Structures are given as structure tokens and as C-alpha cells.
Amino acid sequence: MSDYESHSGKLRLLQTQEGETLTQQCKRLWLENNLPEEEFHDESNLFGDLGEKYIEVDGKIWEVFDRQDHGDEDSFCRLTPNPDGTLSFHTRYYNGGTCMQEMIQDELKAKEL
């Protein structure tokens, strides 16, 4: 059953290793999360299976951490820069039409981060 969700936490832009493609970075993160290598086919698996931990925007991967669920409020997404280079987020949405990953992706694109 669909309902409103509210989450907050932090985002950190993950750096690629030298010469690493997006697909290679996704596979590395997949393995770092102790998932079986034979189940990795492409980056869609990472963002499908670990979509509340990793978000891709324009070929860059953001890691979600310190996430908290806040129950129900109205729809929005706020990003606030932190001195350590991370971003704090607070988002609320109706889960029958979107998800946390899409809300954050849209806001990152709007801010061109």
C-alpha cells in the first residue's frame, strides 16, 4: 500500500579509482558490499539492489549514509552542504509515485552537483 515517507541523512560523492569506468566502479562497490560476483551484470543491479545506499547522477555515484526514517510530512527534498564536503538531505515523498533515490537525484540535478 502506498503512503508518504520521510528520510534524512547525508550524501558523499564517491571518487573513482584511476581509469575506472562507471561499470567498473559499480562492480567494485558491489563486491565491497559482499554481494556475489556472479550476480553482477551491470550498474542497474547496484542501483536496484542497493538503491537506498548508492545513487547515480550524470555518471557520478553518491553514497547515502546516516539515513533516518521520519514518518509522514509533505513532499520535498532539501540538500544542505556540510563543511566536510558531504551533503545533508531531508526528503519526503509519496512512495506510490517516486522513491528516495529519485527525489535525491532530481535535487542533485537541479543544483547541478
Side-chain angles (χ1 to χ4, degrees), residues 7-79:
H7 301 273
S8 66
K10 288 186 172 184
L11 300 171
R12 166 179 30 235
L13 181 62
L14 297 180
Q15 301 300 314
T16 58
Q17 295 179 350
E18 188 173 333
E20 188 176 49
T21 66
L22 176 62
T23 300
Q24 291 167 331
Q25 184 182 21
C26 288
K27 185 172 184 178
R28 178 174 52 82
L29 294 170
W30 180 269
L31 295 174
E32 286 176 5
N33 282 275
N34 298 313
L35 297 169
E37 184 172 2
E38 60 272 6
E39 291 182 19
F40 183 82
H41 303 289
D42 58 27
E43 54 266 12
S44 65
N45 285 27
L46 180 75
F47 304 117
D49 291 358
L50 298 173
E52 293 198 356
K53 184 172 182 179
Y54 299 111
I55 297 172
E56 184 269 333
V57 177
D58 297 331
K60 298 176 187 173
I61 300 176
W62 294 80
E63 179 183 20
V64 177
F65 62 103
D66 293 343
R67 186 173 69 86
Q68 298 175 7
D69 187 336
H70 294 286
D72 50 3
E73 298 173 12
D74 286 335
S75 294
F76 61 85
C77 185
R78 293 185 202 110
L79 298 177

Side-chain angles (χ1 to χ4, degrees), residues 88-105:
S88 291
F89 71 88
H90 188 183
T91 186
R92 175 164 166 70
Y93 53 90
Y94 186 69
N95 64 13
T98 191
C99 63
M100 183 186 77
Q101 185 177 14
E102 288 177 330
M103 293 292 289
I104 293 171
Q105 282 174 323

